[in-house]
Structure formats: structure tokens, C-alpha cells
Amino acid sequence: MCGIVGYIGTKEATPLLVDGLKKLEYRGYDSAGVAVLEQMQRRISVVKTVGKITNLEHKLAECMPKGCVGIGHTRWATHGRPSDVNSHPHQGCSADFAVVHNGIIENYLELKEWLVKERGHEFMSETDTEVFAHLLEEFYEGDIVNALRKTLSKVHGSYAVGVVAAQEPDKLVAARKDSPLIVGLGEGENFIASDIPALLNHTRDVWFVEDGEVVVLTKEGAAILDKHDHEVNRGVFHVDWDAEAAEKGGFEHFMLKEIFEQPEAFQKTLSGRIQEGKVRLDELNFTTEDVERWEKVFIVACGTAYHSGLIGKPLIEEFLHIPVEVDIASEFRYRNPLLNERTLAVFVSQSGETADTLAALREAKAKGATTLAITNVVGSSIAREADYTLFLWAGPEIAVASTKAYTAMLIAQYLLSVYLGQVKETIPEDKARAILEALRQLPEKAKQLLAQKELYQQLARDIRDAQSIFFIGRGYDYNLAMEGALKLKEISYIHAEAYAAGELKHGTLALITKETPVIALALQKNTYEKTLSNIMEVTARDAMVIGLAEEGDTEIAKWVSQAIYIPKIEDIVSPVLAVIPLQLLAYYTAVERGCNVDQPRNLAKSVTVE
Ligand code: AGP
């Protein structure tokens, strides 16, 4: 998804902007560019190109714009294919303005027609963003903030925009609606960005910009203006992640680093939330009346976050004694779900910016449901709009493939379900105690699992040439199998599918041959024998089977080519550990196949279009 950076200060802007854009690469992009205001000449120089930031650096090496004010952008194409001309920044006819934009201007065709036919503007690109630059030009009367306001009043859709104007070389302005934007506050310099990693080399003090607000930066100061042009008194958020946390820190890829960060992430997600046998979630503070009012729970999310919800569903059903539905966010709104004030709607999202999840949240809110966000990103749209938010505190996740956020989402849902059960007094005390004790053991047990990476490297060599791989399991194992399959296909590009183990014989068994590896999850004791029979069904078809079982299981090794053992843990908490081998297997398989692990083809970290 597009990334924005902006700088105003006393240093050369170009290298700062390029550095910031590199920190946003994880968002996925197909082109990049910068616009720098050459103050003396009151001229804006734009350098942009399709492809990776290295392409931009090559171009900049030939003609580096000089100046201390500028904006930069990484584009993920929506309107108009990836090309040099469609890359941002965009300018109007006179080149007096430069604009970077993340989001979609929904009425751009109508505006473009007006600008071309009625006002004689000529357009260079196929993008929706270019109308923004032309509108600024149209409305500019010596005050860029006014021109920006007028432009914003004409556009419909979502945006985070950064703007520089040649006539006002001491200002950088920005605005947001439904796309992330933050301000970085420095000494004699200020910044805008789509996300914190872009700023960490320069400042740790940030403001989160809200929808409808306009930002005015000079090198000496920064202001956020509300829609009545009143200055907003926004609290400073001090980022206490060390710079390392947003970098790869010794690992070959962010994904591997994030897999290995899980013991620490577990600790953080749990931190302070279990006290004297009770779950304490201060940010929720639900009363017994609140919880008793709910007759139904929805869990709504996309991709990996959706898979975490599949595990959350049986937990809440068991501990709260009410039905739970799990929905893919892009489907949810269109099926007119039964939502009212007796519903709790939970929205799970690592980024907190996923457009479908955000739209589903708004729908639930409008229909009177209590909305609860589970997210990793403070200041994200979903966090800000939900009635309640449970943060994951897993630290920034950079790799497109979600790993530590998934396990943190699971832990958050164990905590939430036990918490709600305790508030409503519907969870048996011994059950709650067993789960909380299992959660407490997770960091240590995850470390044990991570110590066996050579095993996964070997297994990756065994499966790297497969055309298709099946993941099977029952109950929680089946829900986890879906995540294992998604992880493998997302980064290794091998077709992978998850099946409820008992369902294979109803059709899919026809696809099992000796060329089709099967990853079989056999961690749930109540279905263990049945899963073992399903494993026998596939070994009888000569499939190579990798079995995941609990430490001490001597039976499974008789039926599989390779057994992977998970440290003993309460059955229902086992997915948090069992996913680690699946993540590592996906990772090493992708590496074996020479894939771009952190930025798989066609994918973006944060999907901010519906
Ligand atoms: C995870 O590996 C995927 N890249 C993707 O499915 C992701 O989980 C999904 O896009 C939802 O993102 P979110 O958690 O930021 O809402």
C-alpha cells in the first residue's frame, strides 16, 4: 500500500526522504518518487520512477534535487498501471505544487472532466491523485492551507496527502481521511509519514492525525487544525521501540526475525493482563450487565486475522455460552448481518487499517453493536473508531506475511474469552486457571521450538518442488491448518489447501498421490484416533506426510515420514505453539525456492482498498 514521507528542516531533504521510503517498503509498492522544493528558485523538482527504490536512487544519482523541504512516496497502483508517469508525486500544469497521496479519490473522473472541459487543465497521468494537484492550482490564491481546504471539500474518498507549494517554500501541508498519517516532531525539523518506522531515525515524538484534520509544518513548528481551522491540542505519543525493532536486526528477512520475536511478543501481549488467577483488561472494563446483554458475538477480519478468529469462536462460545459467527470482512457487510445493541462485534486486524475490516466496523457501529478492535497499531483507524480496543503490543510487523501478530491475536482472544467468561461467571474456575497457566508457559515453550530450525530447513528441501500441498487436522488443528496453508502459498507460491481431516474422503482424497505432501496436525486429544485414521488414508496413497504431534507421542512416528513434536501444553492453547513449525516450514520453503519472502508478489502489508 502507498507510503508517504515528508520533511521540512535544515538538512538536505532527498536522502532523508529516500531513507524514510525504504522504511515503508514493507507496505508493498510498485513505484517511488520524491519532490523537493528548491527554495532559492521557488521551484519544485520531481524525480520518480516505476520499480523499486533502488531505481529511484539510480535516477537521483544523476540529478539530485537540492533543498530542505520535500515529500516522497511509494505507490501501489490502483488507478492506472505502474509506470513512471503514474508514480507520485503529481503536479498540476504549472508545476507549482507537488502532491503525494495514499487512498482513492472516488469522484476523480467527474472532477477531471470539469477541470479539463471547463477549466482547460491538461492531465499527464491516469491516476486519481493528479486531480488533487490540479484542484490545488485551481483554488490557490496565495494561501496553500486555504487551497488545500477547498480541494478537500471537492474530493470524495480516502486520502492521506502531503503537499508542497513553490510559492510557499517554508511550509509543508498535509491532511487525512481514512488513510494513516502521522506527524514526527523534531528540533528545527518536522516530518509527516504513513507509519512510525519511517521516522525512527529522526524522532520518537509523534502525533496521530485524525480524519478531517489538516497539518501545517514549518521547520520551527507544527500544527494540527480541525475542520474549523482551530488548532488542536494533540498529545505527543513517545515511541519507545528501539530503532532495531523496526529493522531486520541480524536476520536474513523480517519474517524470520518476526518469527523469532514471538516469545518476546507473547510476553508483551500477556504483560500485566493476568493477575491472581484473573484476566485483567483495563482498557475494556466491561460490567456484568454489558456482557449479559450480548446474545451473539461476531468476529470479523481478513486473511490471517480471520484465521485467528476461527480459533477465537469456539473459545468464546464455550466460555460465554453464546453463539459466535466468524466472518470474512469483505463478505460481512453485503449479507446484511443481524446486528443490534445485543451484539458484540470484534474486529481483528494487525494493521488496523484494512479497508474491508474498517468498513465492517462502521456497519456494526451504525447498527448499534458494541464494537471491539483487536489490533497491533496504536492510532490506527480501526483502533480509533471502535468503542473498545485491545492492543496486541507485538511490536511492528514488517514482513507481509503475518507471524507474530497472528500468535498475538490468538493470545488476545484467549485472554478476551476468559475475561468475558469471568465477568459473566460462565467459565469454570479450574478451566480458567488451566488456560492462564498454559498462556504463562508459552514464551518458554516457544523458545524450545525455535531452537530446532535445522529440522525445518531439511523439510523445506523435501517439499520445495511440490506442486500442491495439503494441510489436514480436526477442530483447533483444522483452524490452524488454514493458517499454515495460507502462509505457505503466500510466500512460496506453492498451491496449498487446508482440509478438515475427516472431509478428505469426500472428494479431495482423489488428489493425493506420492507427489502431494500432506502436513497433518494431530494435537487435539479428543480427535486424535480419528486424525490418525485420516493420516493412514493418505499414507496408503503414498503421500509424504509430515505429522505435528505432542511431545511423547510415540504412535504418530509409525505413520508419517517425519514427526514434529510440540512441547506439551493445554490442547486448546496448542495452536499458538503449533503454528511456529508451520511458519518456519513456509519460510524455509520460500527461501529454498528463491522467493521474495518479505514482499511476496502481488501482495501488500496493509490492504487499504476494498
Ligand atoms: C497475512 O500473512 C496476510 N498478509 C494477510 O492475510 C493479512 O493478514 C490480511 O490482509 C489482514 O491484515 P490486517 O491484520 O492488517 O487487517
Side-chain angles (χ1 to χ4, degrees):
M1 212 53 44
C2 305
I4 288 177
V5 289
Y7 174 76
I8 183 161
T10 51
K11 299 176 190 143
E12 279 300 332
T14 307
L16 271 160
L17 295 173
V18 172
D19 178 63
L21 292 179
K22 284 183 179 167
K23 300 293 184 305
L24 296 179
E25 280 193 293
Y26 68 90
R27 297 167 71 84
Y29 69 103
D30 49 53
S31 52
V34 295
V36 173
L37 221 157
E38 297 180 304
Q39 279 125 316
M40 299 300 279
Q41 296 88 339
R42 294 196 166 214
R43 187 179 67 194
I44 298 170
S45 282
V46 172
V47 181
K48 55 187 191 173
T49 177
V50 72
K52 293 287 165 193
I53 292 173
T54 41
N55 297 9
L56 178 65
E57 287 181 304
H58 289 314
K59 270 198 169 179
L60 288 168
E62 286 163 23
C63 58
M64 169 87 72
K66 299 264 182 227
C68 306
V69 184
I71 48 180
H73 190 265
T74 44
R75 172 174 191 252
W76 190 68
T78 54
H79 297 70
R81 72 210 148 79
S83 68
D84 284 1
V85 75
N86 285 337
S87 314
H88 299 212
H90 286 286
Q91 300 191 275
C93 308
S94 62
D96 277 348
F97 305 93
V99 181
V100 288
H101 166 226
N102 174 14
I104 290 177
I105 308 295
E106 286 163 7
N107 59 338
Y108 81 104
L109 281 176
E110 188 188 306
L111 292 167
K112 190 168 174 175
E113 194 173 293
W114 174 72
L115 285 159
V116 172
K117 291 204 177 134
E118 312 277 327
R119 311 296 299 168
H121 288 253
E122 277 179 37
F123 277 70
M124 305 281 290
S125 76
E126 307 155 287
T127 66
D128 51 338
T129 304
E130 196 184 338
V131 295
F132 216 100
H134 290 271
L135 287 172
L136 286 170
E137 201 168 45
E138 190 62 31
F139 297 132
Y140 189 72
E141 289 175 322
D143 182 346
I144 187 60
V145 178
N146 267 343
L148 178 61
R149 283 269 185 232
K150 284 189 184 148
T151 300
L152 296 178
S153 72
K154 296 286 175 204
V155 300
H156 304 156
S158 57
Y159 50 80
V161 283
V163 176
V164 288
Q167 300 311 314
E168 296 181 61
D170 54 351
K171 261 188 214 146
L172 191 164
V173 295
R176 81 156 265 172
K177 180 176 170 282
D178 294 336
S179 287
L181 182 70
I182 57 172
V183 172
L185 303 161
E187 292 283 324
E189 56 184 7
N190 291 298
F191 306 80
I192 53 163
S194 300
D195 200 359
I196 288 169
L199 303 179
L200 279 186
N201 282 344
H202 312 287
T203 180
R204 298 179 161 276
D205 290 336
V206 304
W207 284 337
F208 296 110
V209 183
E210 302 270 349
D211 278 354
E213 291 176 342
V214 165
V215 171
V216 184
L217 301 186
T218 61
K219 64 177 192 270
E220 296 87 12
I224 296 182
L225 307 177
D226 68 12
K227 54 176 181 284
H228 308 293
D229 261 344
H230 297 144
E231 195 165 334
V232 175
N233 188 9
R234 179 69 29 85
V236 174
F237 180 80
H238 184 77
V239 183
D240 53 13
W241 311 333
D242 55 3
E244 284 271 305
E247 302 283 347
K248 269 188 234 160
F251 287 93
E252 201 182 333
H253 296 99
F254 282 115
M255 181 179 174
L256 190 61
K257 172 175 175 278
E258 287 156 10
I259 291 172
F260 274 81
E261 280 171 350
Q262 287 178 110
E264 190 189 333
F266 296 173
Q267 207 91 56
K268 286 191 189 149
T269 309
L270 290 167
S271 165
R273 287 171 162 168
I274 300 177
Q275 290 180 12
E276 294 164 9
K278 294 256 180 245
V279 176
R280 210 181 137 161
L281 300 174
D282 292 340
E283 52 274 69
L284 303 189
N285 239 339
F286 291 136
T287 62
T288 314
E289 295 74 59
D290 289 328
V291 182
E292 280 176 349
R293 191 179 69 244
W294 299 323
E295 292 170 354
K296 185 164 189 175
V297 177
F298 284 95
I299 303 177
V300 185
C302 300
T304 284
Y306 166 75
H307 292 156
S308 80
L310 294 174
I311 290 179
K313 169 188 158 84
L315 296 172
I316 299 180
E317 283 182 340
E318 186 180 342
F319 304 153
L320 217 59
H321 303 172
I322 54 173
V324 180
E325 280 189 49
V326 191
D327 269 79
I328 294 171
S330 56
E331 294 290 318
F332 182 69
R333 279 194 304 157
Y334 305 104
R335 69 174 181 86
N336 199 14
L338 199 62
L339 292 153
N340 53 40
E341 44 307 316
R342 292 185 305 285
T343 324
L344 171 67
V346 181
F347 299 87
V348 190
S349 173
Q350 187 285 130
S351 61
E353 298 294 347
T354 300
D356 285 312
T357 311
L358 181 59
L361 161 66
R362 288 176 179 162
E363 170 93 4
K365 234 178 145 174
K367 289 189 169 167
T370 302
T371 56
L372 163 60
I374 298 181
T375 182
N376 199 28
V377 181
V378 179
S380 62
S381 304
I382 289 173
R384 285 181 297 102
E385 293 196 24
D387 298 320
Y388 300 90
T389 302
L390 191 56
F391 286 110
L392 298 177
W393 304 127
E397 191 179 68
I398 309 291
V400 166
S402 185
T403 53
K404 63 176 180 172
Y406 172 73
T407 41
M409 284 167 188
L410 294 184
I411 293 175
Q413 288 175 75
Y414 290 111
L415 289 171
L416 178 68
S417 57
V418 174
Y419 166 78
L420 294 176
Q422 288 182 327
V423 174
K424 198 176 171 185
E425 295 180 12
T426 39
I427 183 169
E429 260 182 47
D430 55 340
K431 186 84 198 173
R433 209 173 312 114
I435 293 172
L436 298 184
E437 175 53 23
L439 292 177
R440 199 190 54 75
Q441 295 171 6
L442 281 174
E444 220 29 66
K445 297 201 165 173
K447 280 184 200 156
Q448 291 169 28
L449 261 177
L450 287 164
Q452 311 163 10
K453 72 174 186 180
E454 289 72 22
L455 169 63
Y456 308 108
Q457 282 170 310
Q458 178 51 51
L459 288 172
R461 286 193 277 275
D462 295 344
I463 64 168
R464 73 176 163 201
D465 296 321
Q467 297 284 315
S468 187
I469 297 183
F470 284 86
F471 288 70
I472 60 170
R474 287 168 178 257
Y476 288 103
D477 289 348
Y478 169 46
N479 297 334
L480 177 59
M482 288 189 226
E483 174 58 10
L486 174 63
K487 215 84 307 173
L488 185 71
K489 59 191 153 195
E490 182 177 19
I491 58 166
S492 76
Y493 317 147
I494 297 177
H495 168 253
E497 245 182 280
Y499 256 83
E503 188 64 11
L504 273 186
K505 55 187 170 293
H506 298 288
T508 316
L509 201 55
L511 296 175
I512 303 294
T513 65
K514 73 174 180 352
E515 270 81 44
T516 322
V518 175
I519 320 279
L521 284 71
L523 292 148
Q524 301 307 310
K525 290 188 195 67
N526 61 339
T527 50
Y528 180 79
E529 299 299 333
K530 296 241 162 29
T531 307
L532 211 53
S533 311
N534 301 134
I535 292 175
M536 291 174 199
E537 284 164 8
V538 292
T539 48
R541 272 82 191 173
D542 295 329
M544 174 217 170
V545 182
I546 298 173
L548 259 73
E550 194 178 76
E551 221 170 45
D553 177 343
T554 48
E555 187 59 24
I556 195 155
K558 298 179 194 159
W559 302 102
V560 300
S561 320
Q562 175 70 54
I564 296 174
Y565 293 107
I566 311 297
K568 276 189 195 300
I569 192 108
E570 187 77 13
D571 272 19
I572 65 171
V573 178
S574 65
V576 185
L577 292 180
V579 76
I580 293 175
L582 303 183
Q583 295 167 342
L584 287 167
L585 198 57
Y587 172 78
Y588 286 116
T589 307
V591 171
E592 282 291 325
R593 288 166 65 90
C595 300
N596 184 347
V597 175
D598 283 337
Q599 287 170 48
R601 69 184 177 209
N602 308 339
L603 298 178
K605 180 64 180 164
S606 173
V607 185
T608 54
V609 287
E610 285 178 49

